[in-house]
Amino acid sequence: MDKVKSYINDTIEEMRFKVSWPKFAELQKSSVLVLVGSVVFAIVVGAMDFVYDTALSWFYSQF
């Protein structure tokens, strides 16, 4: 049980004093960047899906 307490105390100490947390402004910039990247990726994947669906529908309608 002492090992568990030691592990928890060491974890708390490391999270409080050794981890470098980003400033709020930096966090906002990173969040906006991830959001924009996700939207762009979703649009690209959606466009590819639309093109493949249209092409395959046309192809199968030929038979």
Side-chain angles (χ1 to χ4, degrees), residues 8-25:
I8 291 172
N9 288 334
D10 289 345
T11 302
I12 290 171
E13 181 180 336
E14 185 167 345
M15 294 296 283
R16 289 181 72 199
F17 301 114
K18 295 181 182 177
V19 173
S20 61
W21 297 99
K23 303 292 183 209
F24 186 70

Side-chain angles (χ1 to χ4, degrees), residues 1-60:
M1 194 65 173
D2 287 336
K3 287 184 179 183
V4 173
K5 286 182 183 178
S6 175
Y7 172 77
I8 291 172
N9 288 334
D10 289 345
T11 302
I12 290 171
E13 181 180 336
E14 185 167 345
M15 294 296 283
R16 289 181 72 199
F17 301 114
K18 295 181 182 177
V19 173
S20 61
W21 297 99
K23 303 292 183 209
F24 186 70
E26 184 181 347
L27 187 61
Q28 281 182 319
K29 290 178 185 177
S30 298
S31 298
V32 168
L33 182 64
V34 168
L35 180 64
V36 169
S38 297
V39 168
V40 168
F41 185 73
I43 290 171
V44 168
V45 170
M48 289 172 45
D49 180 51
F50 177 75
V51 168
Y52 289 138
D53 182 48
T54 304
L56 288 175
S57 294
W58 173 82
F59 178 75
Y60 287 132

